[in-house]
Amino acid sequence: MTIRTSTRDGVATVVLDRPEKHNALDLDDAAALADAWRALRADPAVRAAVVTGAGGKAFTTGMDRSAMTGDEAPAQPHSPYSLDDPLLRIGPKANDLWIPVVAAVEGMACGGAFYLLGEAEFLVATEESTFFDPHTTYGMVSAYEAMAMAQRMPHGEVARMALMGTAERLSGRRAYETGLVSELAPPGQALEHALRCARVLASYPPEAVQGTVRALWATKEAARAGAMALAPQLIALGNLPPDSQATLFGRRARQDRPPARESRAHPPDRPDTDGGKNAHS
């Protein structure tokens, strides 16, 4: 099992523990993560949670691409109006969990990471953290991911990140300036700072805290639901065939990482097509 959960002082810590794959999720991991959130619903002692990635190099790079290719890949519906996305159920809100969840980000957070980050109450990261979305580079539509980030960041920032693909990365500092990140911690201390916040939340009356979480989520739920209803068709129309995606992914050049975009834009000299090792989304 590569999803670890522990509880202390009313706070559950959920760890994506596959550092050799940059904490990319396979199908079993995605199911286990959903199970972990549902299990927390049934534990009255848990009043807050923190989600993070192991190893310090990545929060998660999304779906392990190898899990979405070959004979073991899940079959997709024939209708362009339907889509089976294994990451749609990995977040706490998707599993009807209303305790507050804080995300602690160290290293890369890209693509499918936004399914989780979009359902956290707030993010703690470090300046060395980087955020990017590799979809367009590999011929895929960024739909659910961009929709989640559009509710956390200014439109122009989300558009640039979603459209620029792997050509640039958003630094932790820039993510803080745009409101995606609520606190910058020293390197290696994102989890410690997130747990400090979670312990405060866990010390308050849970009914009031969970009611506030639900109220805040309700303010964006209608717009989110309307946008997500369009996602399957947009993906069906815009995605390249899987073989073409695999070709683009296979051409990744082993280049230096592009500089993270800080407060001022510094376009990289050349694009880096490494959207996160073994990442699909």
Side-chain angles (χ1 to χ4, degrees):
M1 182 67 67
T2 55
I3 306 297
R4 293 189 287 108
T5 304
S6 59
T7 303
R8 182 178 179 182
D9 299 328
V11 176
T13 303
V14 179
V15 181
L16 315 182
D17 191 8
R18 204 184 182 200
E20 73 281 2
K21 297 286 189 179
H22 294 310
N23 299 319
L25 302 169
D26 62 20
L27 298 176
D28 289 339
D29 294 328
L33 188 51
D35 289 342
W37 297 126
R38 287 195 291 270
L40 294 182
R41 291 177 60 199
D43 189 345
V46 175
R47 300 183 297 278
V50 172
V51 60
T52 193
K57 293 185 177 180
F59 174 77
T60 178
T61 55
M63 198 73 201
D64 186 340
R65 187 172 179 85
S66 64
M68 300 300 291
T69 58
D71 295 337
E72 296 183 2
Q76 288 294 334
H78 294 293
S79 170
Y81 301 101
S82 301
L83 177 72
D84 288 340
D85 187 326
L87 296 188
L88 278 177
R89 301 295 297 177
I90 65 170
K93 308 299 185 299
N95 289 282
D96 201 33
L97 179 68
W98 299 104
I99 63 171
V101 177
V102 182
V105 179
E106 298 267 2
M108 292 186 294
C110 69
F114 300 143
Y115 287 76
L116 274 175
L117 299 184
E119 294 194 15
E121 269 50 72
F122 54 88
L123 281 58
V124 176
T126 67
E127 291 203 24
E128 288 73 15
S129 301
T130 55
F131 302 82
F132 63 104
D133 189 344
H135 280 77
T136 56
T137 301
Y138 302 124
M140 294 180 284
V141 173
S142 178
Y144 295 115
E145 299 83 356
M147 290 171 183
M149 290 299 97
Q151 294 188 310
R152 307 204 77 127
M153 300 168 66
H155 177 86
E157 293 292 331
V158 179
R160 179 165 180 153
M161 182 169 66
L163 292 170
M164 290 292 287
T166 60
E168 67 176 30
R169 303 183 180 197
L170 194 71
S171 71
R173 169 63 60 179
R174 183 61 181 162
Y176 174 75
E177 292 171 347
T178 60
L180 174 59
V181 169
S182 69
E183 179 184 351
L184 286 177
Q189 296 184 33
L191 177 57
E192 177 184 337
H193 282 235
L195 286 169
R196 182 199 65 200
C197 294
R199 284 191 289 269
V200 171
L201 299 174
S203 72
Y204 295 157
E207 295 83 0
V209 171
Q210 293 183 36
T212 302
V213 169
R214 191 65 186 88
L216 288 168
W217 187 254
T219 64
K220 59 182 182 179
E221 205 166 22
R224 181 177 182 269
M228 290 180 67
L230 296 174
Q233 301 95 292
L234 297 174
I235 293 169
L237 289 169
N239 273 18
L240 290 178
D243 289 347
S244 298
Q245 294 178 27
T247 298
L248 290 174
F249 196 81
R251 291 175 182 169
R252 291 179 302 165
R254 309 308 298 177
Q255 303 168 343
D256 293 336
R257 179 182 300 180
R261 185 163 64 89
E262 303 288 350
S263 299
R264 291 173 294 176
H266 294 284
D269 294 332
R270 58 185 179 181
D272 174 18
T273 55
D274 183 3
K277 187 177 181 181
N278 295 305
H280 169 70
S281 60

